[in-house]
Amino acid sequence: MFTVAAAVVSVMSLALTACAQSDSGVGSGDREAAYKRVIKDPHPSPDAVIEAAGAPAGVARAGDGSLLLSYNARYIGDDEGPAAAAWRIVSPAGLTVAQQAWHANVEDQPDQYIGVRDGFVRWHRSSRGAESAYALDVRGKPHKVSASDRALGTRPGDIVLHEGMPARFYRPANRTVAAPAGAPEYVDFALDERGSVWFVDQSRMPNRVVQQRDGRTLTSMPMPKPYTSGGAVTAAGGTTALALLRGGTVRGLMVTADDGAHWRNLTGGGIPWQDLKRDLVFLVLRALPDGRLLVGEREGRYWLADDRSNRAFHQLKTPVPFTSFTVQGKTLYGIADATTATYDLVKGEGLYASDDGGRTWRRQGKRG
């Protein structure tokens, strides 16, 4: 799931750079006024949007380590009206390479971004259902992306662009966006290194875990009783896992490490499943490139497997509470932002990264 793409929309707090202004005597009323000016501006500047949005909504990482940080600023407490959005590309050295901002509408879905070997891909779907996509290289130069008018069989190297509603993947080889052939139009799905699509068929009971490649079904396994699935699935490093639900809440995982030949239920391993009480939309489930699983709840706690056997997990220690969490390659990224609509700042607000499995964290996003 996720993708950076699917990153969480940043709620309306102010940027880290505004902290200095707050310390120097600028009150929340002044910040609110500045925020409202940004979202009403027909031609907002990137700096203004980034300062208004606060922590980034999402992060995407290119092959060379460059980051694309996306930002959204929207009306607080209103699902209609103007909005503003921006992206900023930061080099591996932490310098701002390129940035762009634009006026938007609250009704539109936030843009989705994924990192690819030579840059980033942006996917947008308007409130009327129109889709568009383009690629950016690490210098911020745009490149055309083609949209296939038919579903395509997946191959090695394909990347999940949008996990569901609608399901879309990106093919770097020819810069094409398409729906995965054989999968439902609206489904959470994962792609592994072999080009297999994994998803849960919820059209019948019991639900079935389906593996397809190039549009052909390879395996189909029924969910174990008494569990159902909300569809959350992840695959990488030879591991595929999906959430087991009981009574509408997550109570474990169904895991395979041999391409679907054998499955096992993970209902322990050091994760207090009985304490996970949030809706499935808050679940964080990611497979790292080495096959280890990351499990947690947005705005809550997170656990990482000790090794690729995924039988024992340890809770991650984070420098501040994270409101969203994702994995880009071997790097963990956590975002601290306001969890409720507010103009006030959040302690430690911003983006954090860890390259050693969460043992140490560094703060990202300093301007160059």
Side-chain angles (χ1 to χ4, degrees):
M1 26 187 309
F2 175 20
T3 55
V4 179
V8 181
V9 175
S10 177
V11 288
M12 313 319 159
S13 52
L14 291 180
L16 292 169
T17 52
C19 291
Q21 296 176 349
S22 177
D23 293 341
S24 62
V26 178
S28 61
D30 295 319
R31 294 198 298 270
E32 179 179 348
Y35 177 87
K36 289 183 175 179
R37 283 197 298 271
V38 168
I39 60 178
K40 292 180 180 179
D41 188 344
H43 305 288
S45 71
D47 286 344
V49 174
I50 290 169
E51 289 185 0
V59 53
R61 179 169 176 156
D64 72 345
S66 297
L67 300 180
L68 184 148
L69 310 179
S70 56
Y71 299 84
N72 296 286
R74 300 182 169 214
Y75 261 124
I76 289 179
D78 195 345
D79 59 1
E80 295 181 354
W87 55 257
R88 170 180 286 169
I89 294 176
V90 180
S91 72
L95 303 178
T96 296
V97 175
Q99 56 186 15
Q100 186 177 26
W102 59 95
H103 189 68
N105 294 308
V106 171
E107 295 87 347
D108 289 345
Q109 294 184 10
D111 292 354
Q112 305 289 316
Y113 297 89
I114 60 169
V116 294
R117 181 184 58 79
D118 56 354
F120 313 93
V121 178
R122 173 260 198 191
W123 182 80
H124 174 79
R125 191 181 191 217
S126 72
S127 57
R128 297 182 179 180
E131 299 178 28
S132 62
Y134 65 82
L136 293 166
D137 61 27
V138 294
R139 305 301 300 177
K141 181 181 178 181
H143 298 270
K144 181 180 178 180
V145 169
S146 300
S148 174
D149 58 2
R150 61 184 180 87
L152 299 178
T154 52
R155 305 171 183 170
D158 292 343
I159 303 170
V160 175
L161 178 58
H162 192 251
E163 294 172 312
M165 302 182 64
R168 296 289 183 266
F169 72 90
Y170 176 71
R171 179 161 292 163
N174 57 7
R175 289 182 174 155
T176 298
V177 173
E185 175 73 0
Y186 296 95
V187 67
D188 289 336
F189 75 102
L191 279 169
D192 64 20
E193 294 85 352
R194 299 183 181 184
S196 292
V197 179
W198 297 88
F199 65 92
V200 179
D201 181 359
Q202 297 177 285
S203 65
R204 50 182 170 164
M205 294 297 292
N207 299 159
R208 300 186 71 88
V209 187
V210 179
Q211 178 196 20
Q212 294 183 341
R213 190 177 304 153
D214 201 21
R216 297 179 295 105
T217 297
L218 301 182
T219 61
S220 179
M221 169 69 78
M223 296 284 297
K225 295 181 179 181
Y227 301 106
T228 59
S229 174
V233 61
T234 187
T239 298
T240 299
L242 63 143
L244 294 174
L245 301 185
R246 189 172 185 180
T249 56
V250 180
R251 286 296 175 261
L253 301 177
M254 187 173 168
V255 183
T256 181
D258 56 9
D259 213 30
H262 302 88
W263 293 86
R264 65 180 176 86
N265 296 341
L266 172 66
T267 56
I271 301 175
W273 301 101
Q274 69 280 0
D275 293 341
L276 303 186
K277 303 182 184 303
R278 306 293 293 275
D279 187 90
L280 183 66
V281 71
F282 286 88
L283 175 69
V284 176
L285 176 60
R286 293 287 183 267
L288 276 65
D290 60 6
R292 289 181 298 161
L293 293 172
L294 172 75
V295 182
E297 286 187 308
R298 247 186 326 120
E299 305 173 14
R301 294 176 293 171
Y302 304 91
W303 293 266
L304 181 64
D306 294 343
D307 54 52
R308 73 177 311 273
S309 70
N310 292 301
R311 296 185 180 276
F313 290 71
H314 61 275
Q315 184 177 341
L316 296 179
K317 294 182 179 180
T318 61
V320 293
F322 291 150
T323 48
S324 66
F325 202 106
T326 190
V327 178
Q328 302 280 309
K330 297 180 180 179
T331 303
L332 310 180
Y333 289 99
I335 294 174
D337 201 358
T339 58
T340 57
T342 176
Y343 294 108
D344 294 329
L345 298 172
V346 175
K347 183 178 180 181
E349 183 178 331
L351 174 67
Y352 297 78
S354 174
D355 296 318
D356 56 10
R359 288 188 291 273
T360 61
W361 295 88
R362 65 183 183 278
R363 201 163 180 173
Q364 300 278 136
K366 292 184 179 180
R367 293 189 181 184

